[in-house]
């Protein structure tokens, strides 16, 4: 590690040792692209290919018959914890088929491995840009699009790879949707709180007869727990999934307390607990060397029917500064953007809260780069895919921004979106006056 430390510095060396760094993660042989059958949602005449990069990352590339000369490099969300497969990007291509319908070529990578690692995923995302340029086409314009955790990846890729060695720009603009834009050190603390609060009331994750472990670990190293098992434990404790008539008063009380204290909706408890189980396990054991990045030592929980008992009995844990530093280096964003960047976030996103976008806006403003950032919001209550005309409007706004130098306004987005409704047959749901009150 001495040589690595001398080249990258002590913090980067820690990141590499913990498994977050990109270098040396996977060794694979590149596989030449082959033709694929495109998803049915793509316009007629679109051609699709898949292949594998030397890093081990699988990718798909789609080019419409009436290509407009622009390329979208897509960074998917997650992190997905399983081993990547050749067909994985097809789902993302289908989800964002409206971009291909508008004439854009589209490319998406699986990344070289499953699990956490923003810089790793950002490197694979930029390598895909180079693969498309070398093996397929040289686009006139290239845009980065990141969705959910992929927005963290795309924003990091824009920080690291926006400019080539000769000073030219590798990308022209950045589109970040439903994004984890507060960075890893601020994104997951509420799920650590959920684990602690849930265990106080339910005492079944782990159960009393199971081996105890610190809740911030997610699970002990080497163990596994499918989402169905987590759902079963939640139902046993809270009656979630049962009718009110079948839910006992004790179950109803536990559910009411957990929801009130955490601020989460009941139908999101299982999803967030699953992340706080399996993602935490990956992050802690595979990426941070067993170190703890989470801290509730000074948290005062409120909203229960007995806050004093909750705060006295809830499990407490303190973060390891080295783990926090490694996670920050890997995933936190500097705000030092150099490309026109637009963000889109549903006001009531149940998975990645809208305050993430506010945090990113604050970071960009701190660096004096707000002139390069335009942020927009919708009234939707979903996360993974917003209404199709809204993505089309954002791309059109980016194109117009590049051509005229005029930063788009909410009124511009509404007009551009309405013009796309006839083709994409979904409503425009922009909330023109909304801004999150506080960052995450």
């Amino acid at each position: 590690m001495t040589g690595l430390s001398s080249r990258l510095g002590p913090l980067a060396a820690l990141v590499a040792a913990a498994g977050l760094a990109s270098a040396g993660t996977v060794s694979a042989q590149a596989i030449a692209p082959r033709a694929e059958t495109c998803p049915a949602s793509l316009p007629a005449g679109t051609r699709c290919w898949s292949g594998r990069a030397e890093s081990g990352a699988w990718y798909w590339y789609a080019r419409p018959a009436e290509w407009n000369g622009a390329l979208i490099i897509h960074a998917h969300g997650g992190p997905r914890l399983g081993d990547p497969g050749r067909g994985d990007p097809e789902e993302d291509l289908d989800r964002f088929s409206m971009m291909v319908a508008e004439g854009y070529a589209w490319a998406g990578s699986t990344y070289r491995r499953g699990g956490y690692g923003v810089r790793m995923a950002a490197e694979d995302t930029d390598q895909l840009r180079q693969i498309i340029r070398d093996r397929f086409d040289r686009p006139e314009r290239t845009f980065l699009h990141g969705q959910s955790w992929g927005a963290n990846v795309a924003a990091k890729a824009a920080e690291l790879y926006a400019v080539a060695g000769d000073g030219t720009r590798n990308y022209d603009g950045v589109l970040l949707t439903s994004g984890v834009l507060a960075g890893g050190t601020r994104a997951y603390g509420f799920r650590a709180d959920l684990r602690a609060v849930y265990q106080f009331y339910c005492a079944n994750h782990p159960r009393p007869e199971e081996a105890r472990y610190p809740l911030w670990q997610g699970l002990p190293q080497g163990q596994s727990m499918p989402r169905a098992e987590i759902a079963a434990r939640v139902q046993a404790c809270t009656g979630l999934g049962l009718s009110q008539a079948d839910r006992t008063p004790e179950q109803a009380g536990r559910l009411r307390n957990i929801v009130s204290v955490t601020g989460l909706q009941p139908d999101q408890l299982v999803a967030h607990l699953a992340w706080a189980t399996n993602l935490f396990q990956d992050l802690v054991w595979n990426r941070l060397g067993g170190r703890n990045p989470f801290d509730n030592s000074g948290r005062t929980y409120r909203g229960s029917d007995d806050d004093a008992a909750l705060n006295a009995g809830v499990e407490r844990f303190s973060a390891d500064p080295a783990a926090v530093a490694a996670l920050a280096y890997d995933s936190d964003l500097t705000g030092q953007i150099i490309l026109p960047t637009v963000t889109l976030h549903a006001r009531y996103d149940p998975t990645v809260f809208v305050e993430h976008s506010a945090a990113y806006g604050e970071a960009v403003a701190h660096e004096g780069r707000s002139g390069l950032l335009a942020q927009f919001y919708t009234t939707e209550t979903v996360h993974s895919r917003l209404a199709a005309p809204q993505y089309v409007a954002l791309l059109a706004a980016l194109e117009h921004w590049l051509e005229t130098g005029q930063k788009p306004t909410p009124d511009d987005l509404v007009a551009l979106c309405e013009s796309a409704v006839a083709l994409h047959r979904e409503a425009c749901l922009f909330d023109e006056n909304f801004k999150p009150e506080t960052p995450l």
Side-chain angles (χ1 to χ4, degrees):
M1 292 300 298
T2 304
L4 181 62
S5 298
S6 64
R7 294 196 305 272
L8 300 180
L11 181 55
L14 172 62
V15 173
L20 284 163
S22 56
T25 305
V26 173
S27 177
Q29 184 175 1
I31 297 177
R34 73 182 188 196
E36 297 282 1
T37 299
C38 294
S41 57
L42 269 56
T46 302
R47 299 183 65 189
C48 294
W49 297 266
S50 72
R52 195 180 195 190
E54 290 183 359
S55 68
W58 294 99
Y59 63 84
W60 271 54
Y61 175 56
R63 186 181 64 211
E66 298 183 12
W67 183 34
N68 63 11
L71 169 66
I72 294 170
I73 299 293
H74 173 77
H76 73 71
R80 297 169 182 169
L81 301 180
D83 293 332
R86 185 168 203 147
D88 291 353
E90 185 178 2
E91 178 185 352
D92 303 299
L93 174 56
D94 178 62
R95 180 178 296 140
F96 295 104
S97 59
M98 79 290 292
M99 298 178 177
V100 183
E102 290 293 321
Y104 291 88
W106 184 99
S109 167
T110 64
Y111 318 137
R112 67 191 64 181
R113 59 162 172 78
Y116 202 87
V118 173
R119 286 177 177 253
M120 172 275 297
E123 182 178 48
D124 287 346
T125 298
D126 188 62
Q127 285 182 357
L128 178 57
R129 174 193 61 81
Q130 299 174 62
I131 289 170
I132 302 304
R133 179 182 175 89
D134 294 342
R135 286 186 170 269
F136 295 98
D137 302 294
R138 295 203 168 199
E140 297 171 7
R141 282 180 176 166
T142 303
F143 297 103
L144 263 173
H145 172 221
Q147 162 65 21
S148 189
W149 181 68
N152 194 175
V153 173
K156 181 62 73 174
E159 289 184 359
L160 298 174
Y161 305 113
V163 179
D166 61 2
T168 60
R169 292 189 174 183
N170 291 324
Y171 301 95
D172 296 280
V174 182
L175 169 61
L176 308 172
T177 58
S178 307
V180 182
L181 296 174
T185 59
R186 297 164 70 182
Y188 306 114
F190 78 97
R191 289 179 178 145
D193 289 329
L194 173 61
R195 280 300 302 268
V197 171
Y198 177 86
Q199 186 66 6
F200 175 81
Y201 288 108
C202 295
N204 70 357
H205 189 24
R207 298 186 178 107
E209 68 272 16
E210 294 175 326
R212 293 297 302 270
Y213 57 89
L215 297 177
W216 52 263
Q217 291 180 356
L219 282 174
Q221 192 171 23
Q223 291 189 15
S224 62
M225 184 176 292
R227 181 165 172 159
E229 171 64 18
I230 297 170
R233 295 185 186 217
V234 173
Q235 185 176 91
C237 173
T238 68
L240 186 66
L242 303 176
S243 68
Q244 289 189 0
D246 292 331
R247 192 178 297 158
T248 68
E250 292 78 14
Q251 287 175 324
R254 289 190 288 264
L255 180 60
R256 183 177 61 251
N257 277 319
I258 293 168
V259 168
S260 178
V261 172
T262 64
L264 298 172
Q265 295 300 311
D267 62 357
Q268 290 298 313
L269 288 181
V270 172
H272 287 298
L273 271 175
W275 287 114
T277 301
N278 297 308
L279 175 60
F280 280 19
Q281 181 190 43
D282 172 79
L283 181 60
V284 167
W285 292 112
N286 297 334
R287 318 302 164 199
L288 294 173
R291 299 180 179 93
N292 173 26
F294 306 115
D295 196 318
N296 75 341
S297 58
R299 184 89 69 240
T300 300
Y301 296 107
R302 297 184 175 90
S304 73
D305 53 19
D306 189 341
D307 288 350
L310 171 61
N311 283 285
V314 73
E315 180 175 317
R316 299 288 180 177
F317 36 84
S318 299
D320 182 327
V324 176
L327 186 57
Y329 176 81
D330 181 69
S331 64
D332 286 0
L333 300 169
T334 67
Q336 297 174 0
I337 61 176
I338 64 171
L339 301 173
T341 302
V342 296
T343 71
L344 179 66
H345 217 129
R347 183 172 177 177
Y348 305 105
D349 187 327
T351 303
V352 178
F353 306 137
V354 70
E355 287 80 10
H356 275 268
S357 285
Y360 190 59
E362 185 179 70
V364 171
H366 184 266
E367 297 299 323
R369 309 290 177 91
S370 295
L372 289 171
L373 179 66
Q375 297 192 284
F376 305 99
Y377 303 92
T378 77
T379 58
E380 291 160 289
T381 60
V382 294
H383 170 71
S384 295
R385 181 193 177 278
L386 308 184
Q390 297 168 159
Y391 298 103
V392 173
L394 286 165
L395 286 167
L398 263 178
E399 297 267 20
H400 188 261
W401 193 354
L402 292 170
E403 291 165 1
T404 66
Q406 296 178 356
K407 180 178 171 178
T409 67
D411 287 343
D412 296 331
L413 264 292
V414 170
L416 290 167
C417 188
E418 292 294 343
S419 69
V421 168
L423 175 61
H424 297 283
R425 301 179 181 273
E426 295 177 17
C428 297
L429 299 167
F430 285 108
D431 193 331
E432 300 169 68
N433 299 314
F434 174 74
K435 290 184 178 180
E437 292 185 3
T438 56
L440 189 70

